[in-house]
């Protein structure tokens, strides 16, 4: 068999693979080859329902889906191929008062994402979709630019566009195996011979997991069963043609008008079945699964409540097909950690809606090194090693599926596959009333239920019950002494003679500091955007200790590893499990630490921003004087086996001072008061340190020639066009981030973070503003459809001079 070569080799001929090929070739990339083991569309694309909705919980995911619509608007003219694109809008019904709140929240979020969405009355909803029973309906939301499409025809049109620009599409070619050398895929073995390529794009949908196994990786993508019905024709075929797509989340169902006056009706029920968890059977080409009307029956009954006409027209067909899913219900995109040339493009639950935009982003990622939109919520580096395992992924996917339309309150946690990664303090904190949440598999206390209160999370859109308990914890940090279990931090040791040079290249600040210095640093990309926000402690000349957020370890380590020299002069070793972390903080924390430790922890002996090895009880501890709450405090990094002993020693030493435990919900309100920023929300690759107000961490005089320096030099010299601003209001508003910020009635930004500052007695909001608004003071924020005044303020509301921190 012949040997072949390609610049870009795409595995999979569904909508995502074809769209990636189209965008690569259209952008001038030569030698793009797509391999499909059967025929185009014959994975999950051909039986997809074909809804094209744009609103998602992330602004950039929504922007990406808007690009799909823009592509579908012009594709027929470009390729000459029709694919039944109907831009008829989408309707979301609110059957209860809670659903009305949810719809209002989504509508204000859509406005902040620059997507047109409007609240309408039940009567207006019935005018748009006359078959609904509007009795008791609270209202609805409408997005005019959504629509629906014939998936298979769309995919063929995209493939035609890809061919037009020079892509070679080979059907009936199956990938059998890979050869890997030094983290690079050097050969792809197929039924058509061997292929060599600069870039391999994994767009194989539900088969990605099996191909990943050949590469030695757990791809966190799988498939589950999804059913929908197609009705017999309704009496008025012309009316059906004009209907928008419809979702009724309360009744868990969606509708799409179909050819011949029929309706497609699908939904998301409890306990769908995983597919392929023991391997995908045979070739499984253009096959469906046996229908399960017992499982679909309850959804059909709910659909008949929404549209009573279903009682009069029969069911023509039941479609039960496997649809791609991922370990958290979102896409799996981006450069795979551990490989130089493997791009992931899989796990697309709503691939038809995402297809156009996702292909564009993947193409940019390959050609430019990063996409023009920061896609962290979709980035494959958000996953840990457990996410792709059968034991985790399938139960979590089935749970996500069941919750696709179910009411999800802000802060709601998953219930499946819990208690996976446990701190050594887990049981002690549970005994103290910890209400646990989960982050990257770690159980972390959200808040602590006092005696007599059940340790169950208390969620609500408007007045969550947990607020008052977190407020007490907040107060304890500001006035007393507390312990916070932060063992879930991701931690790394960097060792080797090339370590300092590498960190000087990566960090925007000067890393050549004395041993024992703790450095808060941003690692930037070529555009100056913040790729990582972490603390680095210099332990000795060629030895650094790196700490980052629980969910960012894979991402940050991958960013560092991709820049490491290949000569063995730098080693990066993950030590997350080796050390538990207890944060002791509050104005009385020094007194308690002094009683528990043999060492001098006075300000003179142990100033802010330094680290030392100390003894607590009988345990050796790496104490780091830094924190995320804005009070005197230490992060105590403890060999895991000593953690419980250290906790007990500190607890006993602090009893007379009323020591108590604090959870992550309080941390959030504390850091907002101090103006401390959270990566992936307030800061990201979309924003530079200078735009984010972190210019003091950018060292141009003493720093080295770090990545992104030329951009930050220009911004320091000439200023920026946008910056992160702080806003306050006396009103306690139910804000969660993503809300629309307005000036003069016009949308000007969205809240990147928001919460109530219990010490300052004000709601605090962060949002980026363009330069022309920097002198303005008065703004508004939209919350559940209502606008409230907010004021822009300079600096953090709490302790702007850092006197408490450095006490």
């Amino acid at each position: 068999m012949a040997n072949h070569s390609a610049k870009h080799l795409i595995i999979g001929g569904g909508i995502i693979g074809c769209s990636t090929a189209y965008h690569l070739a259209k952008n001038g990339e030569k030698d793009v080859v797509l391999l499909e083991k059967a025929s185009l569309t014959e994975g999950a694309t051909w039986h997809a329902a074909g809804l094209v909705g744009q609103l998602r919980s992330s602004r950039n995911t929504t922007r990406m889906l808007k690009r799909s619509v823009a592509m579908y608007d012009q594709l027929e003219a470009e390729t000459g191929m029709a694919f039944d694109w109907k831009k008829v809008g989408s309707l979301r019904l609110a059957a209860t008062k809670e659903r009305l709140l949810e719809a209002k929240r989504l509508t204000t979020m859509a406005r902040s994402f620059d997507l047109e969405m409007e609240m309408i009355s039940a009567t207006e909803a019935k005018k748009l979709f006359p078959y609904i029973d509007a009795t008791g309906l609270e209202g609805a939301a409408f997005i005019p630019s959504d629509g629906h499409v014939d998936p298979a025809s769309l995919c063929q049109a995209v493939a035609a566009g890809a061919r037009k620009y020079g892509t070679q599409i080979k059907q009936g070619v199956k990938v059998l195996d890979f050869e890997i050398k030094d983290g690079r895929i050097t050969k792809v073995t197929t039924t058509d011979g061997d292929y060599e390529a600069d870039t391999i794009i994994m767009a194989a949908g539900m088969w990605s997991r099996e191909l990943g196994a050949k590469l030695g990786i757990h791809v966190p993508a799988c498939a589950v069963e999804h059913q929908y019905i197609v009705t017999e024709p309704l009496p008025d075929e012309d009316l059906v043609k004009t209907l928008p797509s419809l979702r009724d989340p309360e009744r868990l169902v969606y509708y799409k008008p179909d050819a011949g006056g029929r309706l497609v009706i699908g939904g998301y029920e409890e306990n769908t079945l995983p597919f392929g968890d023991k391997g995908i059977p045979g070739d499984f080409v253009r096959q469906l699964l046996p229908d399960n009307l017992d499982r679909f029956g309850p959804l059909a009954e709910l659909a008949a409540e929404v549209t009573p006409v279903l009682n009069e027209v029969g069911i023509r067909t039941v479609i039960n097909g496997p649809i791609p899913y991922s370990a958290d219900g979102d896409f799996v995109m981006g450069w795979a950690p551990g490989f130089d040339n493997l791009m992931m493009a899989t796990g697309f639950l709503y691939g038809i809606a995402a297809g156009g935009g996702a292909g564009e982003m993947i193409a940019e990622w390959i050609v430019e090194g990063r996409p023009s939109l920061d896609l962290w919520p979709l980035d494959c580096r958000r996953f840990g090693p457990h996410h792709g395992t059968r034991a985790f992924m399938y139960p979590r996917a089935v749970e996500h599926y069941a919750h696709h339309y179910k009411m999800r309150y802000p802060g709601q946690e998953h219930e499946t596959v819990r208690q996976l990664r446990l701190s050594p303090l887990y049981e002690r904190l549970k005994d103290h009333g910890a209400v646990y949440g989960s982050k990257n598999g770690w159980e972390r206390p959200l808040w602590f239920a006092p005696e007599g209160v059940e340790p169950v999370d208390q969620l609500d859109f408007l007045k969550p019950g947990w607020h008052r308990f977190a407020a007490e914890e907040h107060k304890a940090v500001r006035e007393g002494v507390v312990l916070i279990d932060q063992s879930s931090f991701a931690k790394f040791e960097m060792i080797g003679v090339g370590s300092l040079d590498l960190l000087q290249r990566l960090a925007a600040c000067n890393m050549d500091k004395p041993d024992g210095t703790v450095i808060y640093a941003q690692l930037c990309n070529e555009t100056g955007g913040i790729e990582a926000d972490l603390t680095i402690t210099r332990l000795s000349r060629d030895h650094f200790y790196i700490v980052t957020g629980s969910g960012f370890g894979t991402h940050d380590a991958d960013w560092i590893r991709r820049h490491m020299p290949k000569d063995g002069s730098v080693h990066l070793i993950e030590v997350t499990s080796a050390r538990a972390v207890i944060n002791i903080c509050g104005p009385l924390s020094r007194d308690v630490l002094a009683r528990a430790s043999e060492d001098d922890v006075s300000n003179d002996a142990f100033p802010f921003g330094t680290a030392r090895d100390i003894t607590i009880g009988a345990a050796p501890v790496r104490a780091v004087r830094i924190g995320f709450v804005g009070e005197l405090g230490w992060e105590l990094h403890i060999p895991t086996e000593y953690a419980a002993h250290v906790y007990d020693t500190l607890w006993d030493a602090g009893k007379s001072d009323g020591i108590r435990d604090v959870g992550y919900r309080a941390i959030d309100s504390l850091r907002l008061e101090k103006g401390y920023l959270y990566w992936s929300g307030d800061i990201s690759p979309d924003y530079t340190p200078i735009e984010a107000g972190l210019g003091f961490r950018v060292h141009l005089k003493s720093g080295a020639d770090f990545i992104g320096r030329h951009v930050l030099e220009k911004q320091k010299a000439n200023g920026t066009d946008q910056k992160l601003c702080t806003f306050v209001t006396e009103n306690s508003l139910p804000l969660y981030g993503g809300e629309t910020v307005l000036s003069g009635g016009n949308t000007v930004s969205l809240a990147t973070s928001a919460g109530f500052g219990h010490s300052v007695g004000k709601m605090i909001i962060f949002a980026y503003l363009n330069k022309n608004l920097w002198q303005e003071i008065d703004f508004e924020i939209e919350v559940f459809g209502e606008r409230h005044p907010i004021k822009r303020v300079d600096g953090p509301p709490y302790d702007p001079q850092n006197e408490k921190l450095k006490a």
Side-chain angles (χ1 to χ4, degrees), residues 93-105 119 136-140 250 407 409 460-462 784:
L93 302 184
T96 65
K97 284 192 161 49
E98 286 278 275
R99 288 292 184 183
L100 189 65
L101 275 177
E102 181 187 52
K104 284 179 174 177
R105 182 174 177 229
M119 293 300 301
L137 200 63
E138 295 288 337
E250 186 62 27
M407 184 71 77
Y409 293 100
D460 186 67
F461 277 123
L462 300 178
F784 295 110

PDB file of all heavy atoms in Angstrom, residues 93-105 119 136-140 250 407 409 460-462 784:
ATOM      1  N   LEU A  93     -40.194  28.479  26.101  1.00  0.00           N
ATOM      2  CA  LEU A  93     -41.382  28.715  26.928  1.00  0.00           C
ATOM      3  C   LEU A  93     -41.014  28.732  28.413  1.00  0.00           C
ATOM      4  O   LEU A  93     -40.102  28.014  28.842  1.00  0.00           O
ATOM      5  CB  LEU A  93     -42.425  27.618  26.691  1.00  0.00           C
ATOM      6  CG  LEU A  93     -42.913  27.441  25.247  1.00  0.00           C
ATOM      7  CD1 LEU A  93     -44.015  26.385  25.191  1.00  0.00           C
ATOM      8  CD2 LEU A  93     -43.409  28.757  24.660  1.00  0.00           C
ATOM      9  N   ALA A  94     -41.737  29.545  29.166  1.00  0.00           N
ATOM     10  CA  ALA A  94     -41.591  29.586  30.622  1.00  0.00           C
ATOM     11  C   ALA A  94     -42.920  29.163  31.221  1.00  0.00           C
ATOM     12  O   ALA A  94     -43.871  29.946  31.287  1.00  0.00           O
ATOM     13  CB  ALA A  94     -41.204  30.993  31.083  1.00  0.00           C
ATOM     14  N   ALA A  95     -42.994  27.886  31.636  1.00  0.00           N
ATOM     15  CA  ALA A  95     -44.265  27.327  32.103  1.00  0.00           C
ATOM     16  C   ALA A  95     -44.522  27.618  33.578  1.00  0.00           C
ATOM     17  O   ALA A  95     -45.636  27.436  34.054  1.00  0.00           O
ATOM     18  CB  ALA A  95     -44.285  25.819  31.858  1.00  0.00           C
ATOM     19  N   THR A  96     -43.497  28.065  34.309  1.00  0.00           N
ATOM     20  CA  THR A  96     -43.654  28.378  35.738  1.00  0.00           C
ATOM     21  C   THR A  96     -42.965  29.704  36.033  1.00  0.00           C
ATOM     22  O   THR A  96     -42.193  30.213  35.213  1.00  0.00           O
ATOM     23  CB  THR A  96     -43.005  27.295  36.621  1.00  0.00           C
ATOM     24  OG1 THR A  96     -41.587  27.308  36.383  1.00  0.00           O
ATOM     25  CG2 THR A  96     -43.548  25.901  36.299  1.00  0.00           C
ATOM     26  N   LYS A  97     -43.218  30.231  37.230  1.00  0.00           N
ATOM     27  CA  LYS A  97     -42.579  31.503  37.617  1.00  0.00           C
ATOM     28  C   LYS A  97     -41.049  31.340  37.700  1.00  0.00           C
ATOM     29  O   LYS A  97     -40.297  32.242  37.352  1.00  0.00           O
ATOM     30  CB  LYS A  97     -43.141  31.982  38.955  1.00  0.00           C
ATOM     31  CG  LYS A  97     -44.543  32.586  38.808  1.00  0.00           C
ATOM     32  CD  LYS A  97     -44.982  33.317  40.063  1.00  0.00           C
ATOM     33  CE  LYS A  97     -46.130  34.286  39.801  1.00  0.00           C
ATOM     34  NZ  LYS A  97     -47.240  33.709  39.044  1.00  0.00           N
ATOM     35  N   GLU A  98     -40.588  30.175  38.172  1.00  0.00           N
ATOM     36  CA  GLU A  98     -39.148  29.906  38.231  1.00  0.00           C
ATOM     37  C   GLU A  98     -38.531  29.903  36.832  1.00  0.00           C
ATOM     38  O   GLU A  98     -37.451  30.431  36.611  1.00  0.00           O
ATOM     39  CB  GLU A  98     -38.891  28.544  38.894  1.00  0.00           C
ATOM     40  CG  GLU A  98     -39.107  28.534  40.388  1.00  0.00           C
ATOM     41  CD  GLU A  98     -37.889  29.074  41.130  1.00  0.00           C
ATOM     42  OE1 GLU A  98     -36.958  28.308  41.402  1.00  0.00           O
ATOM     43  OE2 GLU A  98     -37.865  30.279  41.430  1.00  0.00           O
ATOM     44  N   ARG A  99     -39.259  29.297  35.886  1.00  0.00           N
ATOM     45  CA  ARG A  99     -38.757  29.256  34.503  1.00  0.00           C
ATOM     46  C   ARG A  99     -38.758  30.652  33.884  1.00  0.00           C
ATOM     47  O   ARG A  99     -37.919  30.968  33.033  1.00  0.00           O
ATOM     48  CB  ARG A  99     -39.626  28.318  33.655  1.00  0.00           C
ATOM     49  CG  ARG A  99     -39.422  26.853  33.968  1.00  0.00           C
ATOM     50  CD  ARG A  99     -38.046  26.370  33.554  1.00  0.00           C
ATOM     51  NE  ARG A  99     -37.902  24.937  33.766  1.00  0.00           N
ATOM     52  CZ  ARG A  99     -36.802  24.248  33.544  1.00  0.00           C
ATOM     53  NH1 ARG A  99     -35.713  24.857  33.123  1.00  0.00           N
ATOM     54  NH2 ARG A  99     -36.753  22.953  33.753  1.00  0.00           N
ATOM     55  N   LEU A 100     -39.696  31.480  34.325  1.00  0.00           N
ATOM     56  CA  LEU A 100     -39.708  32.861  33.827  1.00  0.00           C
ATOM     57  C   LEU A 100     -38.454  33.594  34.320  1.00  0.00           C
ATOM     58  O   LEU A 100     -37.813  34.332  33.557  1.00  0.00           O
ATOM     59  CB  LEU A 100     -40.977  33.578  34.299  1.00  0.00           C
ATOM     60  CG  LEU A 100     -41.234  34.955  33.674  1.00  0.00           C
ATOM     61  CD1 LEU A 100     -41.495  34.827  32.172  1.00  0.00           C
ATOM     62  CD2 LEU A 100     -42.406  35.649  34.353  1.00  0.00           C
ATOM     63  N   LEU A 101     -38.092  33.379  35.587  1.00  0.00           N
ATOM     64  CA  LEU A 101     -36.857  33.968  36.111  1.00  0.00           C
ATOM     65  C   LEU A 101     -35.653  33.476  35.318  1.00  0.00           C
ATOM     66  O   LEU A 101     -34.767  34.249  34.946  1.00  0.00           O
ATOM     67  CB  LEU A 101     -36.666  33.581  37.584  1.00  0.00           C
ATOM     68  CG  LEU A 101     -37.358  34.428  38.644  1.00  0.00           C
ATOM     69  CD1 LEU A 101     -37.091  33.838  40.021  1.00  0.00           C
ATOM     70  CD2 LEU A 101     -36.873  35.881  38.594  1.00  0.00           C
ATOM     71  N   GLU A 102     -35.629  32.161  35.057  1.00  0.00           N
ATOM     72  CA  GLU A 102     -34.533  31.578  34.299  1.00  0.00           C
ATOM     73  C   GLU A 102     -34.443  32.208  32.906  1.00  0.00           C
ATOM     74  O   GLU A 102     -33.359  32.579  32.440  1.00  0.00           O
ATOM     75  CB  GLU A 102     -34.747  30.064  34.178  1.00  0.00           C
ATOM     76  CG  GLU A 102     -33.660  29.333  33.421  1.00  0.00           C
ATOM     77  CD  GLU A 102     -34.013  27.869  33.183  1.00  0.00           C
ATOM     78  OE1 GLU A 102     -35.119  27.589  32.666  1.00  0.00           O
ATOM     79  OE2 GLU A 102     -33.183  27.012  33.500  1.00  0.00           O
ATOM     80  N   ALA A 103     -35.598  32.366  32.245  1.00  0.00           N
ATOM     81  CA  ALA A 103     -35.619  32.952  30.898  1.00  0.00           C
ATOM     82  C   ALA A 103     -35.168  34.407  30.928  1.00  0.00           C
ATOM     83  O   ALA A 103     -34.441  34.870  30.042  1.00  0.00           O
ATOM     84  CB  ALA A 103     -37.018  32.836  30.294  1.00  0.00           C
ATOM     85  N   LYS A 104     -35.572  35.128  31.968  1.00  0.00           N
ATOM     86  CA  LYS A 104     -35.146  36.532  32.093  1.00  0.00           C
ATOM     87  C   LYS A 104     -33.636  36.616  32.299  1.00  0.00           C
ATOM     88  O   LYS A 104     -32.967  37.497  31.765  1.00  0.00           O
ATOM     89  CB  LYS A 104     -35.871  37.209  33.273  1.00  0.00           C
ATOM     90  CG  LYS A 104     -37.326  37.560  32.969  1.00  0.00           C
ATOM     91  CD  LYS A 104     -37.983  38.195  34.189  1.00  0.00           C
ATOM     92  CE  LYS A 104     -39.395  38.680  33.852  1.00  0.00           C
ATOM     93  NZ  LYS A 104     -40.060  39.235  35.048  1.00  0.00           N
ATOM     94  N   ARG A 105     -33.120  35.690  33.104  1.00  0.00           N
ATOM     95  CA  ARG A 105     -31.669  35.661  33.337  1.00  0.00           C
ATOM     96  C   ARG A 105     -30.926  35.378  32.027  1.00  0.00           C
ATOM     97  O   ARG A 105     -29.923  36.012  31.705  1.00  0.00           O
ATOM     98  CB  ARG A 105     -31.343  34.591  34.382  1.00  0.00           C
ATOM     99  CG  ARG A 105     -29.871  34.526  34.710  1.00  0.00           C
ATOM    100  CD  ARG A 105     -29.595  33.562  35.849  1.00  0.00           C
ATOM    101  NE  ARG A 105     -28.142  33.509  36.065  1.00  0.00           N
ATOM    102  CZ  ARG A 105     -27.446  32.399  36.176  1.00  0.00           C
ATOM    103  NH1 ARG A 105     -28.032  31.238  36.108  1.00  0.00           N
ATOM    104  NH2 ARG A 105     -26.149  32.440  36.376  1.00  0.00           N
ATOM    105  N   MET A 119     -37.912  38.967  25.788  1.00  0.00           N
ATOM    106  CA  MET A 119     -39.006  38.336  26.535  1.00  0.00           C
ATOM    107  C   MET A 119     -40.323  38.712  25.865  1.00  0.00           C
ATOM    108  O   MET A 119     -40.530  39.868  25.491  1.00  0.00           O
ATOM    109  CB  MET A 119     -39.022  38.819  27.986  1.00  0.00           C
ATOM    110  CG  MET A 119     -37.827  38.376  28.811  1.00  0.00           C
ATOM    111  SD  MET A 119     -37.623  36.592  28.949  1.00  0.00           S
ATOM    112  CE  MET A 119     -39.186  36.115  29.719  1.00  0.00           C
ATOM    113  N   GLY A 136     -51.938  29.140  31.391  1.00  0.00           N
ATOM    114  CA  GLY A 136     -51.029  29.039  32.530  1.00  0.00           C
ATOM    115  C   GLY A 136     -49.576  29.342  32.211  1.00  0.00           C
ATOM    116  O   GLY A 136     -48.723  29.322  33.096  1.00  0.00           O
ATOM    117  N   LEU A 137     -49.285  29.614  30.933  1.00  0.00           N
ATOM    118  CA  LEU A 137     -47.907  29.924  30.540  1.00  0.00           C
ATOM    119  C   LEU A 137     -47.518  31.297  31.092  1.00  0.00           C
ATOM    120  O   LEU A 137     -48.270  32.261  30.955  1.00  0.00           O
ATOM    121  CB  LEU A 137     -47.821  29.919  29.010  1.00  0.00           C
ATOM    122  CG  LEU A 137     -46.457  29.745  28.360  1.00  0.00           C
ATOM    123  CD1 LEU A 137     -45.859  28.394  28.718  1.00  0.00           C
ATOM    124  CD2 LEU A 137     -46.586  29.864  26.838  1.00  0.00           C
ATOM    125  N   GLU A 138     -46.348  31.400  31.717  1.00  0.00           N
ATOM    126  CA  GLU A 138     -45.930  32.669  32.333  1.00  0.00           C
ATOM    127  C   GLU A 138     -45.345  33.641  31.306  1.00  0.00           C
ATOM    128  O   GLU A 138     -45.302  34.844  31.536  1.00  0.00           O
ATOM    129  CB  GLU A 138     -44.880  32.401  33.414  1.00  0.00           C
ATOM    130  CG  GLU A 138     -45.400  31.606  34.607  1.00  0.00           C
ATOM    131  CD  GLU A 138     -46.343  32.427  35.486  1.00  0.00           C
ATOM    132  OE1 GLU A 138     -46.272  33.659  35.451  1.00  0.00           O
ATOM    133  OE2 GLU A 138     -47.161  31.809  36.192  1.00  0.00           O
ATOM    134  N   GLY A 139     -44.856  33.117  30.191  1.00  0.00           N
ATOM    135  CA  GLY A 139     -44.233  33.965  29.176  1.00  0.00           C
ATOM    136  C   GLY A 139     -43.275  33.122  28.363  1.00  0.00           C
ATOM    137  O   GLY A 139     -43.278  31.888  28.438  1.00  0.00           O
ATOM    138  N   ALA A 140     -42.424  33.793  27.579  1.00  0.00           N
ATOM    139  CA  ALA A 140     -41.473  33.072  26.733  1.00  0.00           C
ATOM    140  C   ALA A 140     -40.346  34.015  26.352  1.00  0.00           C
ATOM    141  O   ALA A 140     -40.438  35.233  26.531  1.00  0.00           O
ATOM    142  CB  ALA A 140     -42.162  32.528  25.488  1.00  0.00           C
ATOM    143  N   GLU A 250     -39.331  23.155  30.984  1.00  0.00           N
ATOM    144  CA  GLU A 250     -40.054  22.612  32.134  1.00  0.00           C
ATOM    145  C   GLU A 250     -40.586  21.222  31.818  1.00  0.00           C
ATOM    146  O   GLU A 250     -40.613  20.345  32.671  1.00  0.00           O
ATOM    147  CB  GLU A 250     -41.207  23.553  32.513  1.00  0.00           C
ATOM    148  CG  GLU A 250     -41.944  23.158  33.774  1.00  0.00           C
ATOM    149  CD  GLU A 250     -41.072  23.152  35.024  1.00  0.00           C
ATOM    150  OE1 GLU A 250     -40.064  23.895  35.087  1.00  0.00           O
ATOM    151  OE2 GLU A 250     -41.392  22.387  35.947  1.00  0.00           O
ATOM    152  N   MET A 407     -34.155  22.471  35.652  1.00  0.00           N
ATOM    153  CA  MET A 407     -33.774  23.706  36.328  1.00  0.00           C
ATOM    154  C   MET A 407     -32.423  23.526  37.014  1.00  0.00           C
ATOM    155  O   MET A 407     -32.231  22.607  37.802  1.00  0.00           O
ATOM    156  CB  MET A 407     -34.834  24.057  37.370  1.00  0.00           C
ATOM    157  CG  MET A 407     -34.594  25.368  38.052  1.00  0.00           C
ATOM    158  SD  MET A 407     -34.897  26.751  36.940  1.00  0.00           S
ATOM    159  CE  MET A 407     -36.669  26.793  36.956  1.00  0.00           C
ATOM    160  N   TYR A 409     -29.925  25.748  39.298  1.00  0.00           N
ATOM    161  CA  TYR A 409     -29.735  27.002  40.020  1.00  0.00           C
ATOM    162  C   TYR A 409     -28.256  27.380  40.021  1.00  0.00           C
ATOM    163  O   TYR A 409     -27.386  26.509  39.938  1.00  0.00           O
ATOM    164  CB  TYR A 409     -30.228  26.857  41.453  1.00  0.00           C
ATOM    165  CG  TYR A 409     -31.715  26.664  41.541  1.00  0.00           C
ATOM    166  CD1 TYR A 409     -32.265  25.399  41.721  1.00  0.00           C
ATOM    167  CD2 TYR A 409     -32.575  27.753  41.428  1.00  0.00           C
ATOM    168  CE1 TYR A 409     -33.628  25.217  41.792  1.00  0.00           C
ATOM    169  CE2 TYR A 409     -33.952  27.583  41.503  1.00  0.00           C
ATOM    170  CZ  TYR A 409     -34.470  26.313  41.683  1.00  0.00           C
ATOM    171  OH  TYR A 409     -35.823  26.145  41.729  1.00  0.00           O
ATOM    172  N   ASP A 460     -31.141  28.987  45.293  1.00  0.00           N
ATOM    173  CA  ASP A 460     -32.313  29.715  44.816  1.00  0.00           C
ATOM    174  C   ASP A 460     -31.792  30.791  43.861  1.00  0.00           C
ATOM    175  O   ASP A 460     -30.637  31.199  43.961  1.00  0.00           O
ATOM    176  CB  ASP A 460     -33.050  30.367  46.004  1.00  0.00           C
ATOM    177  CG  ASP A 460     -34.364  31.014  45.570  1.00  0.00           C
ATOM    178  OD1 ASP A 460     -35.279  30.274  45.181  1.00  0.00           O
ATOM    179  OD2 ASP A 460     -34.453  32.263  45.601  1.00  0.00           O
ATOM    180  N   PHE A 461     -32.646  31.231  42.933  1.00  0.00           N
ATOM    181  CA  PHE A 461     -32.228  32.308  42.037  1.00  0.00           C
ATOM    182  C   PHE A 461     -32.078  33.625  42.790  1.00  0.00           C
ATOM    183  O   PHE A 461     -31.139  34.381  42.564  1.00  0.00           O
ATOM    184  CB  PHE A 461     -33.256  32.507  40.915  1.00  0.00           C
ATOM    185  CG  PHE A 461     -33.092  31.557  39.770  1.00  0.00           C
ATOM    186  CD1 PHE A 461     -34.126  30.734  39.374  1.00  0.00           C
ATOM    187  CD2 PHE A 461     -31.893  31.476  39.075  1.00  0.00           C
ATOM    188  CE1 PHE A 461     -33.986  29.856  38.322  1.00  0.00           C
ATOM    189  CE2 PHE A 461     -31.730  30.603  38.020  1.00  0.00           C
ATOM    190  CZ  PHE A 461     -32.783  29.788  37.638  1.00  0.00           C
ATOM    191  N   LEU A 462     -33.045  33.922  43.674  1.00  0.00           N
ATOM    192  CA  LEU A 462     -33.098  35.261  44.264  1.00  0.00           C
ATOM    193  C   LEU A 462     -32.448  35.335  45.641  1.00  0.00           C
ATOM    194  O   LEU A 462     -31.682  36.244  45.926  1.00  0.00           O
ATOM    195  CB  LEU A 462     -34.558  35.727  44.344  1.00  0.00           C
ATOM    196  CG  LEU A 462     -35.283  35.814  42.993  1.00  0.00           C
ATOM    197  CD1 LEU A 462     -36.726  36.243  43.195  1.00  0.00           C
ATOM    198  CD2 LEU A 462     -34.565  36.776  42.049  1.00  0.00           C
ATOM    199  N   PHE A 784     -32.380  39.809  35.874  1.00  0.00           N
ATOM    200  CA  PHE A 784     -33.695  39.202  35.628  1.00  0.00           C
ATOM    201  C   PHE A 784     -34.646  40.172  34.942  1.00  0.00           C
ATOM    202  O   PHE A 784     -35.811  40.305  35.304  1.00  0.00           O
ATOM    203  CB  PHE A 784     -34.308  38.690  36.935  1.00  0.00           C
ATOM    204  CG  PHE A 784     -33.536  37.563  37.561  1.00  0.00           C
ATOM    205  CD1 PHE A 784     -32.832  37.747  38.729  1.00  0.00           C
ATOM    206  CD2 PHE A 784     -33.490  36.315  36.954  1.00  0.00           C
ATOM    207  CE1 PHE A 784     -32.096  36.707  39.302  1.00  0.00           C
ATOM    208  CE2 PHE A 784     -32.763  35.272  37.521  1.00  0.00           C
ATOM    209  CZ  PHE A 784     -32.070  35.474  38.688  1.00  0.00           C
TER     210      PHE A 784
END
